Amino acid sequence: MQRPGATLGLFALLWLAAAALFRKGWVRDRRGLLAAAGAAGLVAVMIDRPSLLAWVLFGLALMIAVQSARVRGGEDAWRWAQRLIVQVVVAVAGPWIDLIRLNRTNQRRQAVNLPGTVRLLILPVLGGAVFLALFASANPVIGDLAARLRLPPLSESTVARVIFWGVVLIAVAGILRPRWRRRLIALPSLEGRNVPGVTAASVTLSLIVFNLLFAMQNGLDLAFLWSGVPLPEGVTLAEYAHRGAYPLIVTALLAGLFVLIFLRPGSETAARPLVRRLVVLWVGQNLFLVASSLLRTADYIEAYSLTRFRIAAMIWMVLVGVGLGLICWRMLRNKSASWLINANVGAALSVLAVVSVVDLGAIAAHWNVRHAREVDGQGSRLDLCYLDSLNGAALVSLVELEQRMEDPVLKDRIASVRDRQMAAMQAHQSKWRGWRWRDTRRLDRVEQLIVARPLTAPLSGQRDCDGRLISPPTPVSAPPPSPSSAPPLTSQAGT
């Protein structure tokens, strides 16, 4: 399957230019210009290294740009989300809605409707087809040209291309002719209201209990994770770290939800000084819990290697900590729910924009190569299968590792994986649709590395994902014939 290349970024650039040409209103709006600048930056990202995340963020920025001319200033992320969802959903049915409206308009004006247009085209189309068939039979040049005009075979790739270009046309039409929605769902406001059945005393008692439980968990983490106290017999540090990383983040999310529901600004509970102090203490313990989760993940990475998913998990943990801090600040400063939503959405989009630029696979490969047990005698074993699955992101790290490796067997395995990755990247770069600027820089970096220390070719043979030679199957020899199946001896008596 052909991977997307820089042509995806060039298409996005043309799309942005068409939106500026046909939807000129947002060019004079400050929000529209800022969104268009963000979309232009994501175009550069997709020229460098296209990804699904960059494409989604580009579409989001472009939709905000074309909608900004009709949206009044000061709207929060909640209302913007509704507008964008409506634009995406209605864009699918938009062309059909336009055809129906056009047909109704023509009928009211007594113009030529769609069935009349079909009747108008029947005679010229059929007559032209008859004469074309006669000319094709009489003229070999026309006949050969007509024989070459064939529809592509109905294969999986053809169906995938039709679906892809259908989605592209719908997306382009949705941007050039966006749909608007004036009536939006207001953000539910519970400011100053008390939750039925929950009193200030019960919330206070809950906060005391929660603080004690969190103090117990944080005390154990402080002893085992931060201070290096030996764990109980039968429990390894990697097991202790892995079992608690993700459940503790869920615990922090539940704590934030508790503060949002029962300690809203303006409520009687949130106005009590004791409750506010308990909340600040609890949020502080939650932030320490998030920090412990990050340390747990780091210890697990030290034992089992770094992956893109684990990097994303650590980024998510940081976002959870930021969200908890924003929730506490909202309660202390009596901020609105719109402020909280805008702050969290802004933090999340900023992080996603950075992640769309950074190659997490290259970071993981660089860390694994630097900290592998085969390199420095510590850390986790080198997972060449994972490096092979990064689709070229590990190429430079593999070349550097191959040049430093002294073990001939492991060096040959690394050379095999490196050779496979380099061949695949060069094949993609040789095709204009799959060319990427970042891969060009990777190949240039490899050329610089091998000038002083040339690479050696791996031994020939079939390899698995981690570069190990696959032994050919042992040929099965035919079993000797059994005595019962031997032909009977012919008697020579009487001859």
Side-chain angles (χ1 to χ4, degrees), residues 19 62 64 88 115 139 146 218 239 261 323 327 335-336 347 353 369 387 404 411 424 455 463 475 482:
L62 194 56
I64 292 175
V88 171
N139 192 325
N218 287 330
E239 181 184 1
I261 295 176
I327 290 173
K335 297 290 186 178
S336 64
V369 166
L387 297 180
R404 297 197 311 266
K411 185 173 184 177
L455 300 175
R463 307 270 183 156
S482 59

Side-chain angles (χ1 to χ4, degrees), residues 352-422:
L352 290 176
V354 173
V355 171
S356 68
V357 178
V358 178
D359 192 346
L360 300 184
I363 295 175
H366 180 78
W367 193 95
N368 290 335
V369 166
R370 293 288 181 180
H371 298 83
R373 186 180 303 174
E374 291 83 353
V375 177
D376 59 4
Q378 299 177 356
S380 61
R381 291 190 177 277
L382 186 64
D383 190 353
L384 287 176
C385 283
Y386 178 73
L387 297 180
D388 187 50
S389 68
L390 294 177
N391 297 324
L395 178 60
V396 176
S397 298
L398 286 171
V399 172
E400 294 175 346
L401 178 61
E402 181 182 352
Q403 291 179 334
R404 297 197 311 266
M405 186 57 56
E406 297 179 357
D407 184 355
V409 177
L410 183 57
K411 185 173 184 177
D412 178 69
R413 290 171 52 200
I414 297 171
S416 173
V417 177
R418 181 265 310 160
D419 185 68
R420 184 164 57 234
Q421 291 292 311
M422 184 178 292

Side-chain angles (χ1 to χ4, degrees), residues 197-221:
V198 178
T199 63
S202 64
V203 173
T204 305
L205 184 60
S206 299
L207 288 173
I208 294 174
V209 173
F210 296 163
N211 272 292
L212 292 175
L213 292 174
F214 274 63
M216 177 188 66
Q217 174 62 42
N218 287 330
L220 293 174
D221 284 346

Side-chain angles (χ1 to χ4, degrees), residues 31 70-80 83 184 342:
R31 295 169 303 169
R70 293 193 178 186
V71 177
R72 60 182 177 84
E75 285 203 350
D76 55 25
W78 170 258
R79 298 176 67 86
W80 269 106
R83 295 182 185 278
L184 300 174
N342 292 341

Side-chain angles (χ1 to χ4, degrees), residues 159-174:
V159 174
R161 289 191 180 96
V162 170
I163 294 175
F164 170 77
W165 286 111
V167 172
V168 168
L169 290 175
I170 291 174
V172 171

Side-chain angles (χ1 to χ4, degrees), residues 25-360:
W26 60 270
V27 180
R28 297 184 294 272
D29 184 83
R30 184 175 63 89
R31 295 169 303 169
L33 291 176
L34 289 175
L42 290 165
V43 166
V45 172
M46 286 189 286
I47 292 176
D48 183 42
R49 185 182 67 93
S51 64
L52 178 61
L53 177 59
W55 181 255
V56 171
L57 291 177
F58 169 79
L60 182 64
L62 194 56
M63 287 191 293
I64 292 175
V66 299
Q67 292 252 11
S68 61
R70 293 193 178 186
V71 177
R72 60 182 177 84
E75 285 203 350
D76 55 25
W78 170 258
R79 298 176 67 86
W80 269 106
Q82 295 180 65
R83 295 182 185 278
L84 298 178
I85 291 174
V86 169
Q87 181 175 351
V88 171
V89 173
V90 181
V92 178
W96 306 105
I97 295 174
D98 290 340
L99 286 177
I100 294 173
R101 289 177 178 175
L102 180 62
N103 191 33
R104 289 178 180 175
T105 302
N106 290 334
Q107 289 179 355
R108 283 196 297 266
R109 296 179 180 179
Q110 296 181 353
V112 179
N113 54 18
L114 188 61
T117 305
V118 174
R119 290 195 298 270
L120 178 67
L121 296 177
I122 288 178
L123 182 60
V125 169
L126 291 179
V130 170
F131 285 114
L132 181 61
L134 292 174
F135 289 146
S137 62
N139 192 325
V141 176
I142 300 178
D144 293 341
L145 181 62
R148 296 177 182 177
L149 297 177
R150 297 179 181 179
L151 293 175
L154 190 61
S155 60
E156 294 183 0
S157 60
T158 304
V159 174
R161 289 191 180 96
V162 170
I163 294 175
F164 170 77
W165 286 111
V167 172
V168 168
L169 290 175
I170 291 174
V172 171
I175 292 296
L176 300 182
R177 182 175 167 76
R179 311 288 163 165
W180 316 103
R181 181 174 177 84
R182 298 178 179 177
R183 296 180 180 180
L184 300 174
I185 302 174
L187 185 65
S189 177
L190 298 175
E191 305 293 339
R193 300 181 185 179
N194 292 324
V195 179
V198 178
T199 63
S202 64
V203 173
T204 305
L205 184 60
S206 299
L207 288 173
I208 294 174
V209 173
F210 296 163
N211 272 292
L212 292 175
L213 292 174
F214 274 63
M216 177 188 66
Q217 174 62 42
N218 287 330
L220 293 174
D221 284 346
L222 188 62
F224 296 131
L225 291 177
W226 299 91
S227 301
V229 175
L231 288 164
E233 185 178 356
V235 180
T236 63
L237 182 60
E239 181 184 1
Y240 182 82
H242 183 254
R243 288 185 60 181
Y246 304 117
L248 292 182
I249 289 298
V250 176
T251 303
L253 290 173
L254 292 177
L257 184 63
F258 179 88
V259 176
L260 281 175
I261 295 176
F262 299 108
L263 295 163
R264 300 177 307 276
S267 63
E268 177 188 358
T269 307
R272 296 192 173 192
L274 177 60
V275 171
R276 296 168 74 89
R277 295 190 187 97
L278 289 172
V279 168
V280 172
L281 177 61
W282 193 34
V283 171
Q285 291 205 74
N286 275 279
L287 292 178
F288 184 81
L289 202 68
V290 172
S292 297
S293 297
L294 287 168
L295 183 60
R296 287 168 179 265
T297 307
D299 290 338
Y300 189 77
I301 289 170
E302 187 70 27
Y304 293 101
S305 77
L306 182 64
T307 64
R308 284 182 290 192
F309 176 79
R310 288 163 190 161
I311 298 176
M314 297 181 78
I315 294 173
W316 166 247
M317 293 175 189
V318 173
L319 282 176
V320 170
V322 172
L324 287 171
L326 292 173
I327 290 173
C328 184
W329 186 258
R330 177 210 178 197
M331 186 202 69
L332 295 176
R333 296 298 180 181
N334 293 324
K335 297 290 186 178
S336 64
S338 298
W339 175 88
L340 181 62
I341 293 176
N342 292 341
N344 280 281
V345 170
L349 289 179
S350 301
V351 170
L352 290 176
V354 173
V355 171
S356 68
V357 178
V358 178
D359 192 346
L360 300 184

